[in-house]
């Protein structure tokens, strides 16, 4: 690892000011479970001059309802999302998703904000300097996307434009199914962004001097059935090949509301709106379930080596919906 300034900050405002002072040459550090790997791999186009430690900010780890919204502070650890009685009871899709992330040791340090903002896992992008990297590519600002003609078995099957890396965050998928908003703070104030809009083809919505402060989720007044499914190659610990989060309301046998989100298929979590529309107003049966799963993947355009993801995605959506009972 190279040397850098290490700066403790004590408020979000101070984090923003410090980011602005460094003009893009500083990185935020929360749990460090991704950032330190990135710095050790030394594959970034620009190595940061400073690392800004967010963990010295107090009061940013909370999970609470305030009447209209569930609010989760950016420094809340994934371990706390897994064990929260409130989430287990009313937002199980979040605790289920958190439980599938990495290992207990990593979840003990990894934060929700860090999970949402973690860097891409594309293996061309992450090719370490110690074994011949860094590899340049479009996401790093120079050259083409190497995955298009290369080994793209883990890359996007929809929504890829310039970069075909998928969003690696499992929490983003679950949060999108709950209509979550990312609350971003910068020197000019605060703004809210839908989780699905937080991700861009080559990065995320954050400007160089902005910080994620909180996640806001509207509280549903009617009971919902929630599910998070994830297909991985290595069962005990792995990133998703495909994931699916569903939040469905059924009243008297009829689906009255549905949010179906696919993960690891695109640069952002993808809402399967056509599948949602198909289900609403109908009973959940084998027939409607199969039709919804087919609809969820309409428009998928696989690359040369990842067509297999389509069938996995259909199966996950089917399983998640079929788990719903009145
Ligand atoms: C072995 C292994 C397996 C993994 N498996 C999975 C998995 O299955 N699913 C999954 O979703 N993830 C997985 N991960 C990724 C893991 O979830 C992330 O490393 C972790 O959540 C990052 O959180 P952190 O607090 O440690 O972030 P850090 O490493 O501190 O930061 C990560 C990035 O987010 C930025 N950041 C952090 N906080 C903020 C903030 N408040 N505002 C703006 N930017 C911020 C940092 O600048 C940095 O760029 C795995 C990681 C490892 C090492
Ligand atoms: S998918 Fe994105 S990160 Fe990977 S090589 Fe292509 S441009 Fe780079």
């Amino acid at each position: 690892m190279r040397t850098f300034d290490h700066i403790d900050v004590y408020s979000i405002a101070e984090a923003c000011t410090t980011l602005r002072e460094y003009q893009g040459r500083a990185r935020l550090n929360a749990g460090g479970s991704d950032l330190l790997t990135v710095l050790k791999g030394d594959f970034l186009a620009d190595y940061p001059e400073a690392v800004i430690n967010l963990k010295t900010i107090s009061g940013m780890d909370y999970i609470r309802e305030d009447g209209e919204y569930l609010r989760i502070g950016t420094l809340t650890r994934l371990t706390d999302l897994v064990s929260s009685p409130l989430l287990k009871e009313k937002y199980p899709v979040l605790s289920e998703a958190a439980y599938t992330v990495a290992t207990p040791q990593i979840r003990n340090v990894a934060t929700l904000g860090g999970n949402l903002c973690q860097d891409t896992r594309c293996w061309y992008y992450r090719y370490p300097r110690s074994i011949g990297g860094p590899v340049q590519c479009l996401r790093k600002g120079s050259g083409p996307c190497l995955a298009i003609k290369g080994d793209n078995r883990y890359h996007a099957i929809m929504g890829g434009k310039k970069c075909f890396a998928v969003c690696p965050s499992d929490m983003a998928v679950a949060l999108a199914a709950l209509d979550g908003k990312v609350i971003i703070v910068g020197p000019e104030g605060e703004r809210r962004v839908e989780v699905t809009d937080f991700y861009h083809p080559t990065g995320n919505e954050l400007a160089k001097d902005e910080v994620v402060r909180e996640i806001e989720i509207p509280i549903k007044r009617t009971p919902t059935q929630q599910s998070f499914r994830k297909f991985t190659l290595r069962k005990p610990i792995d990133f998703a090949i495909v994931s699916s989060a569903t939040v469905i309301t059924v009243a008297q046998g009829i689906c009255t509301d549905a949010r179906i989100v696919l993960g690891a298929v695109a640069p952002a979590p993808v809402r399967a709106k056509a599948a949602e529309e198909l289900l609403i107003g109908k009973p959940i049966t084998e027939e409607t379930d199969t039709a919804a799963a087919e609809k969820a993947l309409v428009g998928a355009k696989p690359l040369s080596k990842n067509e297999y993801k389509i069938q996995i995605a259909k199966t996950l959506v089917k399983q998640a919906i079929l788990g719903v009972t009145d």
Side-chain angles (χ1 to χ4, degrees), residues 120 122 124-125 137-139 144-147 155 162-165:
T120 177
C122 170
Y124 294 109
Y125 182 92
C137 73
L138 191 137
R139 194 178 182 105
C145 168
L146 301 169
H155 288 75
K162 300 168 181 167
C163 166
F164 288 80

Side-chain angles (χ1 to χ4, degrees), residues 28-35 74 111 115 117 168 170 212 230 238-239:
L28 298 173
N29 187 40
S33 63
D34 184 44
L35 184 74
T74 190
T111 63
N115 183 271
C117 300
D170 287 322
V212 173
K230 174 170 164 181
D238 211 349
F239 287 88

Side-chain angles (χ1 to χ4, degrees), residues 256-319:
T256 55
D257 193 23
R259 276 180 87 99
I260 302 170
V261 181
L262 291 170
V265 296
V270 176
R271 256 187 86 186
K273 288 188 183 168
E276 295 169 2
E277 282 163 18
L278 186 140
L279 277 187
I280 293 170
K282 296 194 184 70
I284 307 274
T285 62
E286 177 82 34
E287 198 185 356
T288 50
D289 184 26
T290 306
E294 289 295 326
K295 281 271 184 202
L297 273 297
V298 169
K301 286 198 182 119
L303 299 168
S304 56
K305 293 185 171 61
N306 64 9
E307 197 175 348
Y308 72 98
K309 283 190 169 196
I310 293 180
Q311 190 52 49
I312 295 173
K314 286 181 188 172
T315 304
L316 292 190
V317 171
K318 260 190 93 165
Q319 285 177 349

Side-chain angles (χ1 to χ4, degrees), residues 11-305:
S11 67
I12 294 278
E14 193 186 350
C16 295
T17 313
T18 313
L19 281 172
R20 182 163 271 195
E21 279 165 14
Y22 276 89
Q23 298 183 343
R25 289 172 282 107
R27 290 270 177 146
L28 298 173
N29 187 40
S33 63
D34 184 44
L35 184 74
L36 296 186
T37 321
V38 169
L39 296 184
K40 282 181 189 161
D42 197 357
F43 50 75
L44 294 176
D46 299 306
Y47 205 87
E49 286 174 21
V51 168
I52 301 169
N53 177 26
L54 295 177
K55 281 279 177 81
T56 35
I57 305 176
S58 59
M60 297 302 296
D61 53 342
Y62 52 85
I63 303 171
R64 59 173 175 249
E65 290 186 320
D66 70 359
E68 271 186 85
Y69 296 100
L70 168 71
R71 299 189 180 279
I72 308 180
T74 190
L75 290 181
T76 306
R77 298 175 311 152
L78 300 187
T79 289
D80 301 320
L81 300 180
V82 174
S83 61
S84 158
L86 173 65
L87 297 194
K88 277 186 187 163
E89 186 197 335
K90 291 177 71 178
Y91 310 90
V93 68
L94 281 184
S95 40
E96 283 171 25
Y99 183 70
T100 72
V101 174
T103 61
Q105 292 85 347
I106 291 170
R107 296 196 293 270
N108 280 343
V109 295
T111 63
L112 180 58
N115 183 271
L116 294 177
C117 300
Q118 62 179 292
D119 213 339
T120 177
R121 303 304 294 193
C122 170
W123 47 21
Y124 294 109
Y125 182 92
R126 285 204 176 225
Y127 204 79
R129 183 178 288 268
S130 58
I131 53 169
V135 167
Q136 293 304 323
C137 73
L138 191 137
R139 194 178 182 105
K140 290 186 188 172
S142 68
C145 168
L146 301 169
I148 295 174
K149 290 187 180 165
D151 192 335
N152 47 44
R153 72 186 90 162
Y154 303 136
H155 288 75
I157 55 170
M158 45 175 80
K161 285 194 183 108
K162 300 168 181 167
C163 166
F164 288 80
V166 298
C167 172
S169 167
D170 287 322
M171 298 317 301
V173 183
L175 289 167
L178 289 165
D179 195 13
K181 311 270 184 308
V182 183
I183 300 188
I184 298 170
V185 180
E188 270 78 50
E190 198 167 280
R191 61 200 180 97
R192 279 164 178 67
V193 178
E194 301 263 349
V195 171
T196 42
D197 295 336
F198 182 67
Y199 299 96
H200 292 188
T202 55
N204 66 32
E205 173 70 15
L206 292 175
K208 288 184 169 41
D209 50 10
E210 288 184 320
V211 179
V212 173
R213 180 176 71 75
E214 185 183 83
I215 306 303
E216 178 186 87
I217 294 165
I219 297 174
K220 286 247 183 203
R221 296 295 160 207
T222 46
T224 56
Q225 303 205 26
Q226 305 179 12
S227 160
F228 182 80
R229 305 278 164 138
K230 174 170 164 181
F231 182 89
T232 59
L233 290 183
R234 292 174 301 173
K235 291 304 163 202
I237 161 181
D238 211 349
F239 287 88
I241 295 291
V242 180
S243 67
S244 173
T246 52
V247 175
I248 293 179
T249 312
V250 176
Q252 292 161 350
I254 301 295
C255 172
T256 55
D257 193 23
R259 276 180 87 99
I260 302 170
V261 181
L262 291 170
V265 296
V270 176
R271 256 187 86 186
K273 288 188 183 168
E276 295 169 2
E277 282 163 18
L278 186 140
L279 277 187
I280 293 170
K282 296 194 184 70
I284 307 274
T285 62
E286 177 82 34
E287 198 185 356
T288 50
D289 184 26
T290 306
E294 289 295 326
K295 281 271 184 202
L297 273 297
V298 169
K301 286 198 182 119
L303 299 168
S304 56
K305 293 185 171 61

